[in-house]
């Protein structure tokens, strides 16, 4: 079911995004995403892992490589046109998943927390569909060091400004070539992210940070449903 409020803004950018997230387009960044995702998710012995906001399915191989059976959902039909070559997919809104309570052994949501206006609502919905003891991996841009408030032109000297507390959607970015400058992004401060997970009933078991030059550009956690 797709909520009337959600719009598939990636439809017009899907071919570009598919290339951006390819091994050639994404390079070290994609390798870092996959290594961090694998570290947090752990082995799956064939069970289903729901890839929420799966986009073009860029991480299906990493999830499958751990032994999980990935299944993707996303709002954008054009993103899913690419993803369908990589995993089974369905059109769905991450805040209204067409799945029964407690029906999914694992889920991931990668690089999408800044694409939804209310990420805590996504966390609540994922927690709803997770089985007791189910694993959820959040992986996204680092809330403290990536955003409109962060000048990363020299990553080793990342400069943060007072816009850290501004949660609004913006196209402001330190570069002109990324997702943020093209599609805009919301900001989810660290406390909102962790409080959202806790409020959803996810117990954080592990966290991870990764990035170049000692200033991480990725932050993730493994949450387990009580
Ligand atoms: C930056 S892309 C990330 C895609 C993929 N997870 C990856 O890491 O490459 C964000 C994705 O979130 C999707 N999205 C945004 N809001 C959504 C929603 N409410 N429900 C489902 N998907 C949504 C977009 O269509 C887009 O494909």
């Amino acid at each position: 079911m797709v909520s009337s409020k959600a719009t598939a803004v990636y439809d017009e950018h899907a071919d570009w995004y598919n290339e951006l997230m390819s091994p050639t387009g994404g390079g070290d960044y994609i390798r870092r995403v996959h290594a961090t995702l694998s570290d947090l998710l752990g082995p799956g012995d064939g069970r289903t892992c729901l890839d929420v906001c799966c986009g073009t399915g860029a991480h299906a191989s990493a999830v499958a490589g751990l032994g999980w059976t990935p299944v993707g959902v996303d709002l954008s039909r054009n993103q899913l046109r690419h993803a369908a070559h990589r995993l089974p997919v369905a059109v769905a809104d991450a805040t209204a998943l067409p799945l029964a309570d407690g029906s999914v052994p694992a889920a991931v949501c990668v690089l999408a927390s800044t694409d939804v206006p209310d990420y805590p609502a996504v966390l609540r919905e994922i927690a709803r569909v997770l089985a007791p003891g189910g694993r959820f991996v959040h992986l996204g841009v680092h809330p403290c060091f990536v955003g409109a408030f962060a000048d990363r032109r020299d990553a080793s000297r990342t400069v943060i400004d007072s816009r850290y507390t501004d949660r609004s959607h913006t196209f402001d970015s330190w570069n002109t070539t990324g997702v943020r400058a093209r599609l805009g992004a919301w900001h989810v401060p660290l406390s909102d992210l962790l409080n959202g997970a806790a409020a959803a009933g996810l117990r954080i078991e592990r966290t991870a940070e990764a990035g170049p030059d000692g200033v991480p550009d990725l932050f993730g956690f493994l949450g387990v449903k009580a």
Side-chain angles (χ1 to χ4, degrees):
M1 183 194 305
V2 176
S3 111
S4 56
K5 284 182 289 184
T7 55
V9 293
Y10 276 73
D11 272 350
E12 289 173 26
H13 305 276
D15 293 344
W16 170 81
Y17 190 80
N18 188 51
E19 174 56 25
L20 183 76
M21 297 304 281
S22 70
T24 45
D28 285 349
Y29 187 68
I30 294 295
R31 282 188 282 280
R32 192 155 68 245
V33 168
H34 287 179
T36 311
L37 177 62
S38 301
D39 175 38
L40 290 169
L41 183 58
D45 55 37
R47 289 169 296 163
T48 298
C49 179
L50 184 67
D51 186 347
V52 179
C53 304
C54 69
T56 56
H59 316 305
S61 61
V63 172
L66 292 164
W68 296 94
T69 302
V71 175
V73 293
D74 198 283
L75 267 187
S76 165
R77 290 175 191 276
N78 286 347
Q79 292 274 79
L80 292 180
R81 195 166 43 78
H82 291 286
H85 298 291
R86 301 175 176 127
L87 74 171
V89 295
V91 179
D93 184 346
T95 62
L97 294 169
L99 293 164
D101 295 2
S103 59
V104 174
V108 299
C109 187
V110 182
L111 297 175
S113 54
T114 45
D115 287 284
V116 293
D118 185 1
Y119 192 59
V122 173
L123 295 174
R124 284 195 299 278
E125 185 63 352
I126 290 171
R128 180 186 69 75
V129 303
L130 272 184
R135 298 163 78 80
F136 166 62
V137 171
H138 159 88
L139 184 58
V141 299
H142 199 297
C144 303
F145 307 124
V146 179
F149 55 85
D151 183 345
R152 293 187 63 92
R153 281 174 290 185
D154 175 356
S156 68
R157 293 173 175 272
T158 299
V159 178
I160 308 299
D161 68 37
S162 60
R163 287 174 293 171
Y164 179 76
T165 55
D166 182 352
R167 294 162 170 80
S168 58
H169 189 266
T170 176
F171 290 80
D172 289 354
S173 173
W174 73 96
N175 71 18
T176 55
T177 55
V179 168
R180 181 173 299 276
R182 192 174 180 119
L183 288 120
W186 302 90
H187 171 48
V188 186
L190 182 63
S191 55
D192 287 12
L193 179 62
L194 299 180
N195 289 337
L202 297 167
R203 188 184 67 242
I204 294 180
E205 293 218 331
R206 265 171 66 68
T207 59
E209 297 175 295
D213 300 318
V215 181
D217 57 2
L218 292 173
F219 174 79
F221 64 78
L222 166 66
V224 174
K225 182 169 170 179

